[in-house]
Structure formats: C-alpha cells, structure tokens
Amino acid sequence: MHYIEPHIHMISRTTDDYHRMAMAGCVACTEPAFWAGYDRPHPEAFADYFEHLTSFERGRAARFSIAHHCWLCINPKEAEDVAFSREVIQIVRQFIDRPGVVGIGEIGFNKNSRNELTILEEQVALAVELNQLILVHTPHMEDKLKGTRLTLDVLDAHGVSPDRAMIDHMEEHTTRLVRDRGYWVGMTIYPDTKFTPQRAVDTIETLAGDRLWINSSADWAYSDPLLLPQTRFEMQRRGHTEAMIQKVLYDNPLQFLSQSGKFKVTVT
Ligand SMILES: [Zn+2]
C-alpha cells in the first residue's frame, strides 16, 4: 500500500533511507524547514538551505519515485533574534513560488517566548498574505499545551481557516483542544520520545481517523524514517480495515496538502 510521509527532514538522512522508504510504499514526502542543530550564522545561510530543499532533495527523492515537497520559514528555535528572523522572512518570499513548496512551516513556539510570538505572528501574516498552508511546530520541552493554545490564538486572530493549518507534534493531552477548535492534528512517532506506534494508533482510534496525519519527523536526532510502515503494521495487527489505514496514511495527507495547489504525487 502507498503512503505519504508528510513531515521528515531528508536533508539529514541518507539516500539509503529514500530507498528503504520507497520499498516500504512511500510515494511522496514533505520536508519542513527546521533547526540545523546549530544556529545559522547569517540569514543568507537560509538561502542556501532553501536552495537545497527546492532542488537537490527533489532530485534525490525522484530517483526512488518519491515526490519531494517542502515548507519554508524561520524555525522557532532561531526566531529569538527578531531582526535576523525578519531578514530570513524576506528570503522566504524569494523562494515561495518554487516548484514543490507547499506552505509556511514549521513555525510555532520553542520556549513560548515573547520574541517567538512576534515572529510567529509575522509568519502567519505572511502565510495569509501569500495564501499559503501552515505547518505548526509545537514545543517539546516547555509547556506543549500552553504553546498550542497560544498558537491557535494567533491563527484565529489572523483569520486562518482551520482547514489550512496542521498543528503537529500533538500528544494525548493536546489533541482535544486542536480538534475542538477545528484544526488538523499532526502526530509524530519517534523511537523514544513523542508517540510510539501503539500510542499513535490508540489516539487515531479516539479521533476516528479524521482530520489527522501521522509522521516520523525523522531528522539528525535519534529517529526512524520507517515508523509509518511500523504504525501501518500496528493498525493491521489490530484489525483495522484497509480503507481506514489508507485514510490515515494516504488520503488524509493528500487531502490536506492538495489545498496548496502544488502538491503532486504520481502513483504508478
Ligand atoms: Zn520537524
């Protein structure tokens, strides 16, 4: 069965990972802009990063018939420097019309700080101005529930349609808030932190599989690009129908991402 990996940082992964993902059924992925593991020294470094995401990764994925897409932004961890961030936002504008760019993300909070809020507001305004989808990162270390609530308040205040924003890295205690306010729920499956495949399937069942996606968020940290096939296996083990499994792993991300007008997947 085909699946879409909607949140993965392939710049940090090997070509072998593309191969293994393709063998497991992956036909498309989207790669949000994120923190490189160090603070970039100059705003211009983001131009190099966006060039890489919109050219090299697309070609590397295409070798394995995976349609690569990306999201652009200044990530929350580097958004503490407001002047620096504003320069990056100008670079985002230069790249936003490139093929395969599906929206603004992953934006949000890292420490729930005032400067992060300022830059989140400006990037949400940018997405509204440019009619872009939004992918939200919610904090891991600090108060996830508080960061999620603050983010939803910003999205509401800017008139973002809840259909067009994915709130990612949700856990059991935050999904209800996001669902009640009409937004999409993203769930990340990790080997040690965040969701295990078992916990993810518990929550998928609670939400009846509606308006949600799952992802591996595999990056340079301890993570696993094959956790979506493992979650599919867990759904099969519990007796979920093929239609339900396809809804979670393919139909839902396709429905959300197709709103960008630039998400293309060719399944042969
Ligand atoms: Zn990420």
Side-chain angles (χ1 to χ4, degrees):
M1 181 190 284
H2 298 306
Y3 75 92
I4 295 168
E5 168 56 85
H7 186 146
I8 191 163
H9 301 289
M10 293 308 296
I11 192 170
S12 303
R13 310 299 309 189
T14 63
T15 301
D16 304 22
D17 286 332
Y18 276 121
H19 187 202
R20 292 189 301 140
M21 288 161 64
M23 298 279 277
C26 183
V27 291
C29 65
T30 81
E31 174 157 3
F34 84 137
W35 187 55
Y38 63 94
D39 290 349
R40 294 169 177 92
H42 310 289
E44 295 74 21
F46 280 84
D48 292 341
Y49 179 39
F50 298 159
E51 180 69 39
H52 182 114
L53 292 182
T54 56
S55 58
F56 181 72
E57 287 306 330
R58 283 170 67 77
R60 208 158 66 109
R63 283 182 56 194
F64 302 98
S65 300
I66 295 175
H68 181 279
H69 305 76
C70 68
W71 306 74
L72 305 179
C73 73
I74 170 93
N75 64 86
K77 199 163 167 54
E78 286 172 272
E80 199 56 56
D81 184 333
V82 170
F84 182 100
S85 300
R86 286 176 175 152
E87 287 192 53
V88 176
I89 289 171
Q90 294 309 313
I91 297 171
V92 169
R93 286 182 179 276
Q94 295 166 23
F95 281 83
I96 199 75
D97 291 328
R98 290 259 181 123
V101 179
V102 293
I104 300 294
E106 49 190 302
I107 57 175
F109 286 104
N110 178 48
K111 296 180 296 184
N112 296 334
S113 75
R114 186 169 297 279
N115 285 353
E116 289 170 14
L117 173 62
T118 298
I119 295 305
L120 173 63
E121 296 251 19
E122 294 184 15
Q123 295 198 97
V124 169
L126 179 73
V128 170
E129 175 197 332
L130 301 177
N131 194 29
Q132 295 290 320
L133 294 178
I134 294 173
L135 177 59
V136 170
H137 165 96
T138 50
H140 299 303
M141 304 300 181
E142 301 300 323
D143 186 339
K144 185 183 283 289
L145 185 62
K146 180 182 174 194
T148 302
R149 188 174 286 119
L150 284 169
T151 302
L152 297 183
D153 289 347
V154 171
L155 295 172
D156 286 349
H158 283 80
V160 172
S161 167
D163 290 338
R164 294 176 60 81
M166 175 67 69
I167 317 301
D168 219 332
H169 311 320
M170 293 287 90
E171 294 179 11
E172 290 88 343
H173 65 298
T174 54
T175 52
R176 181 58 59 193
L177 169 68
V178 171
R179 172 56 54 89
D180 287 349
R181 292 176 61 166
Y183 290 91
W184 283 75
V185 171
M187 290 185 281
T188 296
I189 303 156
Y190 244 36
D192 49 359
T193 58
K194 308 188 180 77
F195 273 120
T196 60
Q198 290 73 26
R199 275 175 58 201
V201 177
D202 289 345
T203 304
I204 290 166
E205 290 167 352
T206 303
L207 300 176
D210 293 325
R211 291 170 76 81
L212 60 84
W213 79 21
I214 57 174
N215 61 77
S216 72
S217 289
D219 54 20
W220 40 259
Y222 181 43
S223 52
D224 182 350
L226 293 183
L227 279 170
L228 292 198
Q230 287 189 38
T231 306
R232 175 176 63 199
F233 184 76
E234 175 65 12
M235 291 185 77
Q236 287 168 335
R237 193 186 66 78
R238 294 191 190 187
H240 284 284
T241 63
E242 285 298 300
M244 180 57 150
I245 296 169
Q246 177 169 330
K247 175 179 174 177
V248 170
L249 285 156
Y250 188 86
D251 297 343
N252 283 357
L254 179 66
Q255 180 187 344
F256 179 78
L257 292 164
S258 292
Q259 298 179 93
S260 77
K262 289 163 75 179
F263 185 77
K264 299 280 183 291
V265 50
T266 308
V267 176
T268 52

